[in-house]
Amino acid sequence: MLITAQKARDLSIQLTKSQVLLNYVKEVEQVSSVIEAGRIRKNKGSILQEDVCYEMRFMDEDDLKDMMALEEIIVQNLSDKEIFRTHASDYFKDHFKVENSVIGIFSDDGLIAYNVLYFPGVEGDNFGTDIDLPSDELDKVVHLETVAVHPAFRGNSLQRKMEGVHLRTIQEMGYNHVCCMVSPKNRSSLQNIFSNGLIIKALKIKFGWRLRYIMHKNLLHPSAIGPEEIRINGFNIEGQVDLLQKGFLGFQMTELADGFEISYGKDYAVTT
Ligand SMILES: CC(C)(COP(=O)(O)OP(=O)(O)OC[C@H]1O[C@@H](n2cnc3c(N)ncnc32)[C@H](O)[C@@H]1OP(=O)(O)O)[C@@H](O)C(=O)NCCC(=O)NCCS
């Protein structure tokens, strides 16, 4: 089909207009979908420190490129590559298919943090099996899959905030159990996960070679620990595995000048 130059110009104007409209609709959607907003410190603790605004919202596939770019920055800045598993964009694409699975935090610099959920189902690598959840509970398990904060924005409790929002989302969706995996070397992440009420239920090799705590929270009936407490050096892996095998659960972390300790105790329901 032949089109005249004038027709082509009209079409192009129409297309530009619809693109502007689409962008506007997207912006309105984003503003109305803000979960939380406020101010945080960029470059906390350095001479470049400044206060900036942030917004938290659920992300969709349009944000995938920004997510992959942030993942790359995280990897470049890791002091120990073992603590963080990277994922390809196809992997994240699948996550966006489940609504509200991915939370992002944005500043004027763009995407600065993300938190991703995974719904393993009964067939997948369900961490519920690592902690001996009854088989009829496995379909109620959700994983806190991965989390990242841009190095310039760390120290603002963004992991704790995003995971807190996701825990409420999971409960509203009718799931009862949240599980996650964390390296014993990743103290910032471990502390944040404890602060959202998850506790250590296992310590084992996952994905062939990665040593990981498996942490869990029953959203309907959170564990109550007490009254016996055993504190153990966080570097003592064998000692912790032994305690876990004896039915103890890790519920708290204490930073020391030369390391850290994990407090273990028994579920109150089991001790009484
Ligand atoms: C784990 C992580 C998400 C935590 O980020 P965060 O939410 O900003 O952490 P917090 O705000 O709780 O910071 C806690 C403290 O540790 C410091 N801190 C956090 N991450 C740090 C890091 N990677 N290096 C140095 N210090 C760090 C903060 O400055 C803060 O100190 P302060 O209490 O004196 O202010 C972030 O470190 C990160 O993205 N790490 C790389 C990816 C990763 O390990 N993800 C988890 C496994 S999936």
Side-chain angles (χ1 to χ4, degrees):
M1 184 180 80
L2 272 178
I3 52 171
T4 63
Q6 183 55 45
K7 184 93 180 151
R9 268 195 298 277
D10 290 350
L11 272 174
S12 145
I13 289 166
Q14 270 174 26
L15 275 176
T16 317
K17 275 185 184 163
S18 31
Q19 193 55 51
V20 169
L21 191 64
L22 273 176
N23 288 345
Y24 176 72
V25 169
K26 176 100 190 148
E27 269 173 38
V28 170
E29 274 173 6
Q30 286 181 353
V31 170
S32 61
S33 64
V34 170
I35 305 166
E36 183 182 307
R39 296 181 78 78
I40 48 172
R41 293 245 154 110
K42 182 177 176 183
N43 299 315
K44 196 175 169 195
S46 87
I47 48 162
L48 297 173
Q49 178 171 296
E50 58 175 315
D51 270 14
V52 297
C53 295
Y54 78 90
E55 279 182 2
M56 187 194 294
R57 65 170 169 82
F58 292 113
M59 299 206 284
D60 59 34
E61 215 181 308
D62 291 347
D63 300 302
L64 187 57
K65 221 170 114 223
D66 294 341
M67 228 176 128
M68 296 314 294
L70 180 53
E71 187 190 67
E72 185 54 34
I73 295 171
I74 301 295
V75 172
Q76 297 304 328
N77 284 277
L78 282 175
S79 53
D80 182 341
K81 304 259 183 264
E82 193 268 334
I83 62 170
F84 184 66
R85 280 177 79 215
T86 54
H87 300 286
S89 60
D90 278 350
Y91 178 85
F92 286 128
K93 251 186 211 166
D94 285 343
H95 288 68
F96 285 119
K97 287 178 189 148
V98 184
E99 213 182 349
N100 299 342
S101 287
V102 189
I103 286 178
I105 296 186
F106 298 80
S107 77
D108 283 346
D109 293 347
L111 180 68
I112 58 166
Y114 60 77
N115 190 65
V116 182
L117 296 181
Y118 175 58
F119 297 78
V122 287
E123 304 292 328
D125 180 20
N126 190 316
F127 298 158
T129 57
D130 293 298
I131 58 168
D132 298 325
L133 275 187
S135 55
D136 58 352
E137 290 288 301
L138 292 179
D139 60 346
K140 297 173 194 144
V141 172
V142 182
H143 294 178
L144 295 173
E145 179 77 352
T146 186
V147 58
V149 175
H150 188 292
F153 295 88
R154 290 191 185 152
N156 288 288
S157 305
L158 296 185
Q159 175 181 5
R160 189 173 53 71
K161 281 186 208 288
M162 291 186 291
E163 289 180 348
V165 170
H166 255 156
L167 255 52
R168 288 193 289 280
T169 309
I170 291 165
Q171 202 162 6
E172 279 161 21
M173 289 168 84
Y175 288 85
N176 298 358
H177 300 279
V178 60
C179 289
C180 79
M181 225 176 45
V182 60
S183 162
K185 290 188 263 182
N186 200 342
R187 281 192 245 169
S188 311
S189 192
L190 185 57
Q191 188 70 281
N192 287 326
I193 295 165
F194 272 137
S195 70
N196 272 316
L198 281 80
I199 53 177
I200 298 172
K201 293 222 165 150
L203 175 54
K204 60 199 293 189
I205 302 289
K206 291 290 286 180
F207 307 114
W209 57 283
R210 292 174 197 259
L211 182 65
R212 293 291 187 259
Y213 290 120
I214 311 292
M215 299 181 69
H216 168 249
K217 181 176 185 178
N218 182 328
L219 296 167
L220 295 181
H221 309 287
S223 296
I225 308 288
E228 188 187 1
E229 177 183 344
I230 299 177
R231 282 183 170 214
I232 182 166
N233 190 309
F235 299 117
N236 182 351
I237 301 301
E238 272 180 29
Q240 292 184 74
V241 171
D242 187 48
L243 282 173
L244 287 160
Q245 278 168 355
K246 289 179 176 143
F248 285 87
L249 309 168
F251 65 94
Q252 185 174 285
M253 185 187 126
T254 310
E255 291 274 5
L256 305 174
D258 57 349
F260 68 112
E261 280 179 342
I262 304 287
S263 298
Y264 280 84
K266 285 205 170 163
D267 194 327
Y268 195 69
V270 178
T271 57
T272 50

